[in-house]
């Protein structure tokens, strides 16, 4: 047994050491997680500090003697309101604050009424009637929370309605200063909600509307990046080539996946945005609903891209020989689609009516037509069996489909531009873009137009563009 | 002017009449809306009644003298807890109740500690220190709410933590019976939460787990319906034929669209389900996460189907002659895929390990191979230009792609079946399905196998199947 001790000590020691290592890695992992979360969106850190300040401020109401004497225990409601109402974006905070305020007011009034009515029915009938009222309003209001439209905007208000009505009508039985109580509750709630709204608007405001605006633009940009990079990746000459491109370089080809599931995020942002006052470039009644329409059509494009993505990683690709026949024209469609998407993204982002996307769409459509005639001439001339051709033809067909989708998307963005009064791009302001307003230039001008747009972008455009995307391939393009 | 009176009266009258009509239609619309909402899911009505009963019950705590004397104003917390915690499903209610209870306990203890610590620093330091504590915990906890994993499960708990800590630490300055207050608050919250949980479990419980289970099965069924109906719709002989099929008949072809955006619903149901105790066929630690995996793969199939759907309504379809060449084999793939999806759906729904979906997948794969060889032989023999062939070939290719997707989906369901201990289908129990356990039957048996499965389904299968789907086309199938 004596011999066993050192072993035991060693074992305990090593267990302790490995436990310590485990603990250290956990802590560093956790720390890295926090850092990443803050770095991804520094507004999160600011929001957390803002909430801390707001709660600490409102606690003063509950803390200092003079205020305490005025509001009594009701001051508690101010603290509560701040905790519950303060949301990340101004719109969500405003929506919750207004919901809470209005619901408290209405439910308070109805509760006092119910209490008064019940009192008339004598000491036996009163509790029965009150219980019935509470049951009835709770059941009806809970059912109303199932209506999708009501749920989206007034869910929190209905919750507070049930809460306040129950508390006021039942507690009224206790205290005769029921009106006094309701009044104090409302005042403290208004104080709490105002503190939230003021702090949330004055210090580094996060506007849901702006977030929605940027999200919609970003999603289109992601799809544009994919489109621009797709052809290059698909028509890569050999497998070795493929291996040589690092995974990092390819990661932008998977960015589009987040677009597939962005519906809920867009819808809740649009709901919040509708509560927000005018800010920055957005008026009070900015057409947020139109953004949802644009978002839906963007997702339609993303579904096509999802199908295309499957062919990037297909186990068996068509042979290089088969692919090369339609490489140029497919590259043209893909690149032009990508450029169109990026132009649309920039137009939305900068809130400018721009027709430069039209040129790219026209180019893509003409290339699609060329692809059609190319296929009509049967470029493979029976040298290759149809089986080899199928995936290539499918990719071509999906690309053509994508162009149609993008055209629809562009239409919805024109609608948005006119509803939201996007600024018109003055051709004299950017003389280096003489053909930016030409809707469909003569074919001979393509080369010229495209080079012009490519070589003299606005600074915003340059920032937007992913430098790894094959921007220059278009210059080499020879009309098919 | 006198002449004008009758006109005015008439105008007022007609305005009143039209106003009344407007009001009447609004009211009937509203009523119809309510009725539809209740009919779509009668559990909504039951839930509303349950909430009403729970709130009315708990109001007794606030109402009757003896209880009031025991709990004082704190009884209010019980009403509040019920209003806030009672959710549609058991899992959500349990999760919120546990979050609220645990957060109150922990935050209450920490709040008392903070209050004690602050007291030591004298009358000047106390408010500063308390304010600092409140600020610090609010900021840190708010930031923690941004972690996606924490947000999914503990968001409400963190909110209540901030609330309770602030109230207890600050209000402690007022009352010296701070422990008494914290104790009463905790007791009333436990009473309220227990009332919610008990009512929610005992009377017509709505299990989030069951909902998730059914949603996953239903989504696969919807895709199956599309697959079974697709070929029939796509290869319809003529335009007149198309017009003759009413819109109602076609509506099942659009059901799949809801699958595209079901990610959020699935994720929140899975989060709720993890709080639920064992119920029905589900144990406590049922592998809910695996359902999410199945759901993701189902959506992958749905994206393929979205691409196929585009070809149903394409402006220019390939000519009938072109389509007819591959009609039979495409119909085979489509129908077998649909059957496989439906078998998978039934297997999940009934929690049975079934291999009958394998047969359909094998059939679909063999048909895909046949399609490949058919295309290799170039069935159109240069009579038709490639342009006509493209959409047909693309549809064929997407169908082949869909089969691969379904195979992956089936694999994830096998994993689910083994994790969740699905019952094994005893071959002796259903002697009419002799080949149900055969993984890939000899080709000559196809006809036999398929007819057997088709003609002798379990009652559950018959219910599941959409009778408008072309179930019989497979019988007519002649091997290509």
């Amino acid at each position: 047994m004596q011999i066993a001790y050192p072993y035991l000590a060693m074992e305990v020691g090593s267990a302790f050491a490995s436990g310590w290592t485990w603990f250290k890695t956990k802590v560093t992992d956790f720390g890295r997680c926090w850092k990443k979360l803050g770095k991804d969106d520094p507004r999160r850190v600011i929001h957390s500090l803002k909430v801390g300040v707001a709660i600490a401020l409102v606690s003063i109401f509950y803390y200092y003697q003079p205020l305490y004497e005025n509001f009594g225990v009701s001051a508690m409601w101010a603290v509560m309101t701040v905790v519950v109402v303060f949301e990340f974006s101004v719109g969500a905070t405003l929506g919750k604050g207004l919901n809470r305020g209005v619901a408290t007011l209405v439910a308070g009034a109805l509760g006092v009424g119910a209490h008064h009515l019940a009192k008339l029915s004598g000491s036996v009938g009163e509790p029965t009637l009150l219980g019935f009222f509470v049951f009835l309003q709770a059941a009806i209001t809970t059912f109303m929370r199932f209506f999708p439209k009501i749920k989206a905007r007034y869910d929190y208000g209905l919750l507070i309605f049930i809460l306040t009505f129950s508390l006021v009508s039942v507690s009224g039985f206790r205290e005769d200063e029921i009106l006094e109580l309701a009044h104090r509750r409302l005042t403290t709630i208004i104080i709490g909600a105002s503190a939230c709204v003021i702090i949330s608007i004055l210090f580094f405001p996060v506007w849901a509307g702006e977030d929605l605006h940027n999200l919609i633009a970003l999603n289109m940009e992601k799809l544009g990046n994919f489109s621009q990079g797709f052809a290059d990746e698909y028509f890569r000459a050999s497998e070795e080539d493929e291996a040589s491109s690092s995974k990092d370089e390819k990661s932008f080809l998977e960015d589009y996946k987040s677009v597939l599931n962005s519906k809920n995020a867009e819808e809740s942002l649009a709901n919040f945005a509708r509560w927000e006052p005018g800010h920055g470039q957005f008026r009070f009644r900015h057409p947020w609903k139109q953004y949802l329409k644009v978002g839906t059509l963007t997702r339609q494009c993303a579904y096509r891209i999802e199908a295309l993505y499957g062919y990037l990683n297909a186990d068996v690709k068509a042979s290089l020989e088969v692919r090369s026949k339609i490489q140029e024209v497919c590259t043209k469609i893909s690149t032009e689609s990508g450029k169109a998407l990026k132009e649309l993204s920039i137009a939305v982002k900068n809130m400018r009516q721009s027709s430069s996307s039209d040129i790219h769409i026209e180019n893509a459509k003409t290339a699609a037509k060329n692809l059609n005639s190319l296929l009509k001439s049967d470029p493979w001339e029976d040298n290759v069996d149809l089986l080899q051709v199928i995936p290539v033809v499918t990719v071509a067909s999906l690309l053509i489909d994508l162009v149609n989708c993008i055209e629809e998307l562009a239409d919805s963005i024109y609608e948005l531009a006119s509803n939201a009064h996007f600024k018109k791009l003055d051709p004299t302001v950017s003389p280096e873009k003489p053909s930016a307003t030409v809707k469909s230039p003569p074919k001979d001008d393509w080369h010229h137009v495209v080079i012009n747009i490519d070589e003299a972008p606005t600074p915003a455009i340059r920032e937007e563009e992913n430098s790894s995307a094959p921007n220059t391939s278009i210059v080499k393009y020879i009309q098919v």
Side-chain angles (χ1 to χ4, degrees), chain A:
Chain A
M1 286 299 273
Q2 262 177 325
I3 295 169
Y5 274 149
Y7 285 104
L8 191 67
M10 269 169 70
E11 254 174 51
V12 169
S14 78
F16 191 79
S18 73
W20 176 241
T21 321
W22 175 86
F23 181 75
K24 262 206 314 200
T25 51
K26 276 280 156 191
V27 167
T28 47
D29 275 4
F30 195 62
R32 208 173 296 135
C33 232
W34 278 61
K35 216 169 160 184
K36 188 181 174 304
L37 208 65
K39 240 182 191 168
D40 281 355
D41 193 348
R43 300 179 303 173
R44 288 173 180 154
V45 180
I46 295 171
H47 171 71
S48 306
L49 296 177
K50 275 158 71 182
V51 172
V53 169
I55 294 176
L57 263 180
V58 172
S59 296
I60 293 175
F61 273 87
Y62 202 37
Y63 189 84
Y64 277 110
Q65 203 69 20
L67 291 170
Y68 184 70
E69 273 164 7
N70 230 349
F71 287 104
V73 185
S74 290
M76 184 183 72
W77 293 108
V79 180
M80 239 165 138
T81 303
V82 173
V83 174
V84 179
V85 162
F86 211 135
E87 293 274 333
F88 188 56
S89 66
V90 175
T93 309
L94 257 170
K96 264 193 152 177
L98 284 173
N99 262 305
R100 192 177 174 105
V102 172
T104 304
L105 188 67
V106 175
L110 283 178
V112 170
H115 178 248
H116 192 74
L117 214 72
K119 205 131 210 172
L120 293 177
S121 65
S123 67
V124 181
E126 187 178 352
T128 323
L129 210 58
L130 271 183
F132 177 70
F133 282 148
V134 168
F135 165 77
L136 198 69
Q137 65 86 19
I140 291 177
T141 315
T142 304
F143 191 72
M144 279 174 71
R145 290 175 70 194
F146 285 114
F147 285 95
K149 275 187 189 171
I150 293 180
K151 190 170 186 64
R153 298 204 76 194
Y154 307 111
D155 192 55
Y156 186 66
L158 292 176
L159 190 81
I160 294 297
F161 180 87
I162 303 178
L163 184 65
T164 309
F165 185 92
S166 307
L167 287 183
V168 168
S169 63
V170 177
S171 75
F173 188 66
R174 292 288 127 227
E175 314 181 35
D176 282 330
E177 337 103 303
I178 184 168
L179 276 175
E180 174 68 22
L181 182 88
H183 170 246
R184 266 188 299 175
R185 201 186 152 191
L186 193 64
T187 317
T188 45
I189 283 181
I190 289 173
I191 291 171
S194 308
C196 291
V197 169
I198 290 169
I199 291 179
S200 126
I201 291 183
L202 285 192
F203 304 100
F204 306 98
V206 175
W207 300 102
E210 207 180 304
D211 274 11
L212 175 62
H213 182 88
N214 292 337
L215 178 64
I216 294 286
L218 180 69
N219 280 350
M220 281 189 285
E221 197 198 325
K222 282 177 179 171
L223 299 191
N225 282 338
F226 180 93
S227 267
Q228 282 200 318
F230 172 76
D232 217 42
E233 189 67 31
Y234 184 73
F235 293 110
R236 204 177 278 279
S238 64
E239 296 296 318
E240 294 89 65
D241 239 31
E242 220 158 296
S244 73
S245 74
S246 71
K247 276 211 164 177
D248 276 356
E249 273 175 48
K250 278 188 189 176
S251 75
F252 73 92
L253 284 171
E254 295 193 356
D255 279 348
Y256 78 90
K257 283 189 189 280
S258 68
V259 183
L260 295 170
N261 291 308
S262 66
K263 185 169 184 264
N264 284 59
E266 285 168 17
E267 278 178 358
S268 59
L269 281 177
N271 274 322
F272 296 152
R274 286 166 69 195
W275 293 106
E276 289 174 351
H279 56 276
Q281 311 149 292
F282 311 105
R283 292 167 305 117
F284 171 51
R285 288 194 168 278
H286 198 71
W288 300 118
K289 277 198 172 174
Q290 183 67 26
Y291 280 90
L292 294 183
K293 217 165 151 187
V294 173
T296 305
L297 288 167
T298 308
R299 260 191 306 287
Q300 294 288 336
C301 292
Y303 296 145
R304 304 301 179 278
I305 284 181
E306 169 79 11
L308 279 174
Y309 182 78
Y311 287 91
L312 268 189
N313 299 313
D315 296 334
V316 188
K317 273 188 188 174
S319 74
L320 191 63
E321 186 199 0
V322 174
R323 280 185 281 161
S324 68
K325 291 277 183 185
I326 59 162
Q327 172 165 6
E328 269 173 332
V329 64
C330 277
T331 306
K332 174 85 182 169
I333 298 179
S334 171
T335 319
E336 289 291 322
S337 298
K339 285 193 177 173
L341 281 167
K342 282 185 165 182
E343 285 291 334
L344 289 172
S345 161
I346 291 165
V348 168
K349 188 151 198 167
N350 299 340
M351 297 185 79
R352 291 194 180 279
Q353 289 189 4
S354 145
S355 51
S356 51
S357 61
D358 287 340
I359 305 168
H360 295 299
I361 291 177
E362 279 307 317
N363 289 352
K365 279 169 74 180
T366 319
K369 267 181 215 154
N370 289 339
L371 178 60
N372 272 345
S373 13
L374 182 68
L375 292 172
K376 211 167 188 169
S377 70
D378 200 351
W380 295 283
E381 287 160 4
D382 299 329
N383 291 337
V384 190
D385 60 49
L386 203 54
L387 204 59
Q388 279 271 344
V389 176
I390 293 173
V392 181
V393 168
T394 311
V395 164
S397 169
L398 283 170
L399 279 173
I400 294 172
D401 204 17
L402 180 64
V403 174
N404 293 333
C405 256
I406 292 173
E407 218 183 349
E408 266 184 70
L409 177 64
D411 286 344
S412 79
I413 288 174
Y414 292 139
E415 208 177 312
L416 174 67
S418 86
N419 288 352
H421 309 293
F422 279 12
K423 277 164 252 142
K424 279 203 178 90
L425 203 66
D426 189 355
T428 59
V429 173
S430 52
E432 72 272 33
K433 276 192 196 181
S435 44
T437 50
V438 178
K439 192 148 182 181
S440 62
K443 280 186 187 177
D444 305 345
D445 273 341
W446 276 9
H447 196 240
H448 175 66
V449 172
V450 174
I451 288 184
N452 264 355
I453 287 173
D454 230 48
E455 290 185 349
T458 62
I461 294 177
R462 185 41 74 214
E463 260 173 51
E464 291 299 314
E465 274 172 351
N466 192 319
S467 56
S468 67
N471 282 329
T472 49
S473 60
I474 196 70
V475 178
K476 291 176 286 179
Y477 179 70
I478 301 148
Q479 209 170 311
V480 183

